[in-house]
């Protein structure tokens, strides 16, 4: 049984998380993919290829990505290298206080450059990335030509 975990599962967008895949075969080649849909329904994805270690684990913070959206050891690489499916789109969070970005993480056997409905994930999980902490109040600012928002802690 392959298990994908993100610790912590819910966190602020500027906080690091730990991604782990367990239950793989020794030296198994896998594709780890992160995807999310923004508030307009635009899809963003990042993927990286890994070899499982001697214990059947993949940890992007310890194991180098062999290719995909990035190479090398990047603990948060799957989040930092998210790219739009449609060119010239930007990942922007408009409703910072109301809802998080939900990032779906999946692991696939072998190299998966394109994932379609025929591809079966070995395991998956979801991470919440919030832009405002609990209890923070957002106050719109409009003074003359100045526009912005003031975020007040609880």
């Amino acid at each position: 049984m392959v298990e994908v975990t993100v610790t912590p599962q819910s966190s602020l967008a500027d906080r690091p998380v730990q991604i782990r895949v367990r239950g793989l075969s020794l030296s198994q080649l896998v594709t780890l993919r992160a995807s999310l849909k923004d508030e307009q329904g635009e899809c963003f994805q990042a993927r990286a290829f890994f070899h499982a270690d001697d214990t059947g684990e993949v940890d992007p913070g310890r194991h180098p990505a062999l290719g995909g959206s990035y190479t090398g050891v990047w603990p948060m690489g799957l989040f930092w290298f998210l790219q739009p499916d449609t060119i010239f789109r930007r990942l922007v969070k408009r409703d910072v206080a109301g809802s998080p970005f939900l990032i779906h993480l999946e692991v696939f056997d072998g190299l998966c450059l394109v994932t379609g409905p025929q591809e079966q994930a070995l395991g998956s999980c979801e991470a919440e990335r919030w832009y405002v902490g609990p209890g923070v109040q957002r106050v719109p600012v409009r003074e003359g030509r100045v526009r912005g928002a003031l975020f007040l802690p609880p």
Side-chain angles (χ1 to χ4, degrees):
M1 175 90 180
V2 176
E3 179 186 27
V4 182
T5 58
V6 176
T7 308
Q9 186 270 332
S10 182
S11 64
L12 290 174
D14 63 345
R15 300 285 190 245
V17 297
Q18 184 176 39
I19 300 168
R20 279 228 172 109
V21 181
R22 293 186 177 100
L24 300 168
S25 302
L26 172 74
S27 296
Q28 183 177 355
L29 182 62
V30 294
T31 300
L32 194 51
R33 180 181 75 162
S35 62
L36 71 82
K37 286 196 178 193
D38 70 5
E39 294 155 332
Q40 282 75 43
E42 188 65 42
C43 190
F44 291 78
Q45 297 184 54
R47 69 188 71 236
F49 313 127
F50 294 93
H51 273 293
D53 65 12
D54 298 342
T55 63
E57 239 182 61
V58 168
D59 179 352
R62 291 186 300 125
H63 304 118
L66 307 172
S69 301
Y70 66 95
T71 58
V73 177
W74 290 81
M76 296 290 295
L78 289 168
F79 292 11
W80 291 340
F81 291 97
L82 287 165
Q83 293 294 315
D85 285 355
T86 306
I87 60 171
F88 304 119
R89 299 288 184 171
R90 288 185 25 205
L91 183 58
V92 177
K93 184 72 171 136
R94 302 247 182 248
D95 179 19
V96 295
S99 64
F101 270 143
L102 298 175
I103 301 178
H104 193 67
L105 293 160
E106 298 172 292
V107 63
F108 298 93
D109 188 29
L111 296 176
C112 289
L113 299 174
V114 178
T115 46
Q118 75 279 4
E119 296 292 333
Q120 187 68 20
L122 299 175
S124 66
C125 72
E126 199 166 68
E128 293 180 352
R129 302 293 279 172
W130 289 89
Y131 282 78
V132 175
V136 172
Q137 181 183 4
R138 181 182 188 274
V139 179
V141 175
R142 292 182 162 236
E143 187 66 40
R145 294 176 20 194
V146 175
R147 301 289 182 265
L150 173 64
F151 292 88
L152 296 171

